[in-house]
Amino acid sequence: MPKKKSYHHGDLKNALIKAGVEILAKDGVSGLSLRKVAGRAGVSHSAPYSHFADKQALIAAISTEGFRQLYERESTVADLYADQPSKQLIEAAWAYVQFAMDDPDRFKVMFSAVLEKEKEYPEFVSESQRNFQLVRRIIEANQAAGVLRSGPSDLIALSAWGIVHGFVMLWLEGQISHAVLEKSSLRELVEFQLRQIMLD
Amino acid sequence: MPKKKSYHHGDLKNALIKAGVEILAKDGVSGLSLRKVAGRAGVSHSAPYSHFADKQALIAAISTEGFRQLYERESTVADLYADQPSKQLIEAAWAYVQFAMDDPDRFKVMFSAVLEKEKEYPEFVSESQRNFQLVRRIIEANQAAGVLRSGPSDLIALSAWGIVHGFVMLWLEGQISHAVLEKSSLRELVEFQLRQIMLD
DNA sequence: CTATAATCTTTACAGTGTCAAGATTGAGAG
DNA sequence: CTCTCAATCTTGACACTGTAAAGATTATAG
């Protein structure tokens, strides 16, 4: 890990991503500015432009890194419960929710960056597709075990992802009333949501 | 509708909300600035501060108005198919998706404004709760008709809302691959998603 | 009719993203 | 080893942003 104090930073690109994640966690998405990121990395305000075309590009890089870590967590859980499909499904969903709650603002940014920049940020696209393929594998294991209905696994994966993602989003935006939250823990709620698409 | 050209606008508050919605549709969420909104309403750049505490407050008002219109649409559909629960459910979901697609940026803003400002924007809270109660009524009708599993209607409503909302969000952020979209129309996809939680 | 409060304008300031020009330096060619 | 050049970083500038303070205008209540 180079950390000399010379004119050239050495690994500024990654340092900026890291600084961005930290600022995101501390000041939220509205507090994320290029200049603050540069400052935190100990570099002048327009140094980032040597590594990123614009602010969007930095955000895309942060998002990409986020998807990498998400995959790391999800695949670990998936491997751990590879022999118990239904548990695998629920624990993976729970890991997803936890990931979102660990750093809500980064999570939001991950899903508000790209739109149709598929051409501009190919790494982001491939990383997010890798995550979807993992979900799909989990769904197929559950179909084989009779836990989920048969049918096109990509569409069912979309359902499973959608139900969990939708729940997380509604939770993050405070749309889930206290009345509901008092009755059950978040963990129980997530499991209940998923069980809606699981066969008895 | 007063539209005189005097010093006092007459109905600036609503004019600002309207201008905001228009800018949102044209320039997207990143193009929404208080100054542009003021300009479009034909007023100086800090006139909005007579009606809104800050930019967040304007956004909250736009969101609140959005939820009002959403309720309008949803309740119309719900009334129309009141005697066919399963159709009522699917058409309501489809109306939700269409609402999001009509104006994606406004839809996003509606779900990215409040967080825990429950105290600061009570109208927003009550309006969004009104929408949830409507979903809940639809769910209860479907439970009574044996279309949905029995169980706490608030939790099942959360599932239904979550699955549709999650789908919309993933769609809006380009997370739904072309491969999936080529096989089915959006309408078919939405119906497929919902059928995951419906009994056969 | 007049005082007051609401509404709108003007002016000002600190932050922001971005660009252009220049300074510094690491790495390869000779 | 030295020279050169391209990559990297800094400085300075610009237009635009949100927001606060002070002043102008006017509707309306008393």
Side-chain angles (χ1 to χ4, degrees):
Chain A
M1 298 294 111
K3 222 184 178 184
K4 27 185 175 179
K5 245 191 175 183
S6 64
Y7 190 93
H8 287 49
H9 183 285
D11 190 25
L12 184 56
K13 185 168 185 177
N14 288 320
L16 290 172
I17 294 176
K18 188 174 162 192
V21 171
E22 291 167 358
I23 290 179
L24 221 36
K26 192 154 56 96
D27 304 336
V29 57
S30 68
L32 181 73
S33 77
L34 263 185
R35 295 171 105 104
K36 229 189 279 182
V37 170
R40 178 171 256 268
V43 97
S44 90
H45 68 264
S46 66
Y49 285 89
S50 293
H51 302 274
F52 300 101
D54 51 21
K55 191 183 182 183
Q56 270 301 309
L58 205 221
I59 291 179
I62 292 175
S63 303
T64 304
E65 179 59 23
F67 272 104
R68 249 188 285 271
Q69 292 180 224
L70 177 58
Y71 183 87
E72 201 63 33
R73 284 217 217 173
E74 293 287 341
S75 61
T76 300
V77 170
D79 290 347
L80 191 57
Y81 302 105
D83 54 341
Q84 312 166 66
S86 72
K87 188 165 181 57
Q88 184 191 39
L89 179 59
I90 290 171
E91 294 298 333
W94 179 234
Y96 190 86
V97 174
Q98 281 181 300
F99 180 85
M101 291 180 56
D102 280 354
D103 211 328
D105 287 285
R106 180 180 56 155
F107 184 79
K108 283 186 213 168
V109 153
M110 285 171 59
F111 290 94
S112 70
V114 283
L115 238 42
E116 43 190 56
K117 315 279 183 174
E118 312 189 357
K119 304 287 167 53
E120 302 185 35
Y121 309 113
E123 284 187 59
F124 175 90
V125 174
S126 68
E127 206 59 42
S128 100
Q129 282 177 346
R130 200 160 68 104
N131 273 272
F132 184 73
Q133 292 312 319
L134 176 55
V135 175
R136 190 170 178 173
R137 277 200 302 274
I138 296 175
I139 262 58
E140 284 169 355
N142 275 268
Q143 286 180 311
V147 176
L148 289 177
R149 311 182 190 203
S150 60
S153 65
D154 54 348
L155 295 189
I156 307 220
L158 197 52
S159 302
W161 190 12
I163 207 169
V164 177
H165 185 71
F167 178 81
V168 170
M169 280 301 186
L170 293 176
W171 155 264
L172 288 180
E173 302 308 339
Q175 290 283 344
I176 296 179
S177 75
H178 288 312
V180 170
L181 283 170
E182 278 167 9
K183 290 198 302 183
S184 326
S185 69
L186 197 59
R187 163 81 201 224
E188 287 170 335
L189 276 179
V190 171
E191 182 164 344
F192 183 89
Q193 299 305 114
L194 258 189
R195 291 210 179 279
Q196 292 302 117
I197 64 172
M198 294 168 73
L199 302 172
D200 306 303
Chain B
M1 295 296 110
K3 222 183 179 183
K4 27 185 176 180
K5 245 189 172 181
S6 63
Y7 191 93
H8 286 50
H9 183 285
D11 190 26
L12 184 56
K13 186 167 183 179
N14 288 320
L16 289 171
I17 294 175
K18 189 174 162 192
V21 171
E22 291 168 358
I23 291 178
L24 221 35
K26 193 156 54 98
D27 304 337
V29 56
S30 68
L32 181 72
S33 77
L34 263 185
R35 296 171 102 105
K36 230 189 278 182
V37 170
R40 178 172 256 269
V43 96
S44 91
H45 68 265
S46 67
Y49 285 89
S50 293
H51 301 274
F52 300 102
D54 51 19
K55 190 182 182 183
Q56 270 301 310
L58 204 220
I59 291 181
I62 291 175
S63 302
T64 304
E65 178 58 24
F67 272 104
R68 249 188 285 272
Q69 292 180 223
L70 178 58
Y71 183 86
E72 202 63 33
R73 285 218 216 173
E74 293 287 342
S75 60
T76 299
V77 170
D79 290 347
L80 191 58
Y81 301 105
D83 54 340
Q84 311 166 65
S86 72
K87 188 165 181 59
Q88 184 190 40
L89 180 59
I90 290 172
E91 294 298 333
W94 179 234
Y96 190 86
V97 174
Q98 280 181 303
F99 180 86
M101 290 180 58
D102 279 356
D103 210 330
D105 287 284
R106 180 181 56 156
F107 184 81
K108 283 187 212 167
V109 153
M110 285 172 59
F111 290 94
S112 70
V114 282
L115 239 41
E116 42 190 58
K117 316 279 183 172
E118 312 188 357
K119 304 287 167 51
E120 303 185 35
Y121 309 113
E123 283 187 59
F124 176 89
V125 174
S126 68
E127 204 60 41
S128 101
Q129 282 177 346
R130 200 161 68 104
N131 273 274
F132 184 72
Q133 293 311 319
L134 176 55
V135 175
R136 191 169 176 172
R137 276 200 302 273
I138 296 175
I139 262 57
E140 284 169 356
N142 275 269
Q143 287 180 312
V147 176
L148 289 176
R149 312 183 190 203
S150 59
S153 65
D154 53 349
L155 295 189
I156 311 244
L158 197 53
S159 301
W161 189 13
I163 207 169
V164 177
H165 185 73
F167 178 80
V168 170
M169 280 300 186
L170 294 176
W171 156 265
L172 288 181
E173 302 306 340
Q175 290 283 344
I176 296 179
S177 75
H178 287 312
V180 170
L181 284 170
E182 278 167 10
K183 288 199 302 183
S184 325
S185 69
L186 198 59
R187 163 81 202 225
E188 288 170 334
L189 277 178
V190 171
E191 181 164 345
F192 184 89
Q193 298 306 113
L194 258 189
R195 290 211 178 278
Q196 292 302 118
I197 64 172
M198 293 166 73
L199 302 171
D200 306 301

